[in-house]
Amino acid sequence: MALSCGIIGLPLSGKTTIFNLLTGMQAPTSDFFTGKTSTNAGRALIPDERVDYLSAMFKPKKTTYAQVDMVDVPGLVRGSSQGEGSGNEFLATIRNADLLTHVARAFENDEILHAEDSIDILRDIATIDMELLFADLQIIENRLSRINAAAKKKTEHPLELPTLAKCQEFLLTEKPLKLLQLSAEERESVKHIPFLTDKPLLIIINVDEKQQAAADYPGRQDVEQYCAEQGYKWLTVCAKTEVEIAQLQPEDRPLFLEELGVSEPGVSRIAKAIYDQLGLISFLTAGEDEVRAWTIRRDLPAKAAAGKIHSDIERGFIRAETVAFADLQSCGSMAAARDKGCFRLEGKEYPVKDGDIINFRFNV
Ligand SMILES: Nc1nc2c(ncn2[C@@H]2O[C@H](COP(=O)(O)OP(=O)(O)O)[C@@H](O)[C@H]2O)c(=O)[nH]1
Ligand SMILES: [Mg+2]
């Protein structure tokens, strides 16, 4: 199953623009409040130079990049949890996302209204944080009333009730659950509840060209300090311009990106931040049929990594014939890499590394 990422933020912060940038789709964006309640869903292909390189080398029938499912939900506003704006019911669609991306507006443009009438990034981040927090409190209240309404108080786990109380108390101090220390058993007792404030959160600060060039925006230091304290990752993207650049011919893009002052397209930077935050890496398989990137947890043992491809390969695992992408690239061909002894035969416990090109030997 592909990873999934929910895109949240105030209305008119650039959520749909980021969604389009990541998915290459053309969902309508808007200059004014639409009160829209529909959700955009699409798939982002994770750019990967290693896949490009292998694909040029093997000329396979099929090239498959790693993917992340993106869901762009309507804007949250202050009070969404109390029914303001479009309410917050739609948050249910991202409860099972692997991570959340919050788009916050820094760009200046008088033609585009701001949900809170002025640019104040820290305030906006805190507003959304509060709405996520209220949504988690709601979920706890609902769960508690369900448990209490039943004739026999039936919980999923003996520790569920005390842990819910602990979570509730912590949320009331206005802190995200990801900062709450729980024992492994406490965690287990509430793991059926998909809390939003427990999810990894990536803040995308949507800057304009001037801010991007200056690598600065109003209140940057305070924003960065807050993000660090809350355990969030952050990056800046000039979403609108990057969408325009992405529509150019590939050979024309680097020049415009350079002019914008970014070394790498936003899609790659966002993808790296997502992988980094989730502790994920990619290993690669390459052959005449298919060149493909596979997403796994960092250091997953080779045998389990084989299971990502097929359960038969995991069951019948013999060895993982492995060459690091960097070694292949410096040797220039598979044959040269083999001659220079860059291929390794790894056993089932081998912790797979980012960029390993693996040919699994198996027997069923
Ligand atoms: N100047 C500027 N405008 C942007 C940027 N990102 C989005 N916009 C504009 O802001 C408006 C709202 O964007 P949209 O993606 O629909 O926001 P959403 O409501 O959060 O989904 C649209 O008119 C976009 O073209 C940006 O980086 N710079
Ligand atoms: Mg939108």
Side-chain angles (χ1 to χ4, degrees):
M1 229 178 58
L3 284 175
S4 62
C5 172
I7 304 176
I8 56 171
L10 294 173
L12 302 178
S13 56
K15 296 181 300 298
T16 302
T17 307
I18 294 274
F19 170 84
N20 287 340
L21 179 66
L22 290 168
T23 60
M25 289 169 70
Q26 284 166 357
T29 60
S30 168
D31 295 355
F32 52 87
F33 297 111
T34 56
K36 186 181 81 99
T37 53
S38 58
T39 294
N40 296 310
R43 200 153 252 212
L45 297 183
I46 306 299
D48 192 331
E49 295 121 9
R50 301 165 306 192
V51 173
D52 298 334
Y53 184 94
L54 289 171
S55 189
M57 179 179 267
F58 281 86
K59 307 203 172 31
K61 293 194 197 97
K62 194 169 160 205
T63 298
T64 309
Y65 293 85
Q67 305 175 341
V68 180
D69 286 334
M70 308 297 309
V71 182
D72 166 31
V73 297
L76 283 165
V77 295
R78 189 186 295 275
S80 285
S81 51
Q82 263 67 51
E84 291 294 321
S86 322
N88 73 352
E89 244 89 292
F90 55 81
L91 286 177
T93 59
I94 54 166
R95 282 237 174 249
N96 293 314
D98 295 295
L99 94 163
L100 301 178
T101 291
H102 171 185
V103 179
R105 170 171 169 183
F107 67 85
E108 302 272 358
N109 186 336
D110 293 341
E111 321 250 287
I112 301 169
L113 288 172
H114 189 289
E116 303 243 13
D117 295 326
S118 62
I119 308 277
D120 182 340
I121 303 155
L122 190 53
R123 173 202 59 202
D124 294 348
I125 294 176
T127 298
I128 299 295
D129 281 352
M130 285 313 275
E131 292 307 318
L132 297 180
L133 205 137
F134 287 136
D136 278 354
L137 280 169
Q138 263 171 1
I139 221 186
I140 292 179
E141 277 163 30
N142 294 345
R143 179 75 190 136
L144 288 175
S145 49
R146 266 189 60 185
I147 294 172
N148 291 324
K152 258 200 197 146
K153 290 198 176 135
K154 196 171 168 297
T155 56
E156 293 280 327
H157 188 282
L159 281 183
E160 183 177 358
L161 274 177
T163 309
L164 284 175
K166 207 167 179 177
C167 292
Q168 193 174 34
E169 199 181 317
F170 192 77
L171 287 168
L172 289 170
T173 67
E174 305 192 350
K175 291 206 200 85
L177 287 176
K178 63 159 69 70
L179 297 182
L180 174 63
Q181 302 279 350
L182 290 177
S183 69
E185 211 186 340
E186 285 173 323
R187 247 179 214 286
E188 178 68 24
S189 76
V190 292
K191 78 167 194 312
H192 56 291
I193 306 180
F195 291 118
L196 291 170
T197 65
D198 200 27
K199 289 187 193 299
L201 184 65
L202 174 68
I203 309 267
I204 297 184
I205 297 153
N206 189 9
V207 292
D208 59 36
E209 294 175 357
K210 263 201 211 138
Q211 294 163 338
Q212 182 68 59
D216 202 12
Y217 52 82
R220 182 176 57 83
Q221 282 177 352
D222 292 341
V223 169
E224 292 182 353
Q225 190 187 336
Y226 177 82
C227 289
E229 281 166 9
Q230 303 282 106
Y232 306 156
K233 292 254 186 254
W234 66 90
L235 54 83
T236 60
V237 175
C238 186
K240 191 161 180 239
T241 311
E242 288 231 19
V243 167
E244 287 159 11
I245 294 174
Q247 283 159 357
L248 301 173
Q249 294 299 322
E251 61 273 21
D252 295 336
R253 291 175 202 160
L255 183 67
F256 285 89
L257 286 172
E258 196 183 319
E259 228 164 69
L260 184 61
V262 297
S263 52
E264 224 184 320
V267 187
S268 310
R269 292 187 297 123
I270 293 169
K272 280 186 185 158
I274 291 176
Y275 270 57
D276 184 48
Q277 197 166 13
L278 294 177
L280 298 173
I281 57 167
S282 297
F283 75 88
L284 308 147
T285 52
E288 257 114 62
D289 281 335
E290 189 179 24
V291 163
R292 179 160 180 170
W294 303 84
T295 303
I296 55 166
R297 186 161 50 71
R298 187 177 294 140
D299 291 331
L300 190 71
K303 186 165 184 266
K308 285 274 161 187
I309 303 178
H310 200 286
S311 54
D312 285 349
I313 308 183
E314 179 170 7
R315 208 168 328 118
F317 180 95
I318 301 170
R319 285 275 186 271
E321 196 185 6
T322 306
V323 55
F325 176 77
D327 289 341
L328 169 69
Q329 200 177 23
S330 63
C331 293
S333 73
M334 289 300 225
R338 209 173 285 278
D339 285 347
K340 291 200 180 140
C342 294
F343 275 77
R344 293 169 267 131
L345 279 178
E346 302 287 4
K348 60 181 186 217
E349 297 299 336
Y350 166 71
V352 174
K353 300 284 176 287
D354 189 43
D356 276 349
I357 304 164
I358 304 185
N359 176 26
F360 289 104
R361 296 200 188 154
F362 66 106
N363 181 357
V364 280

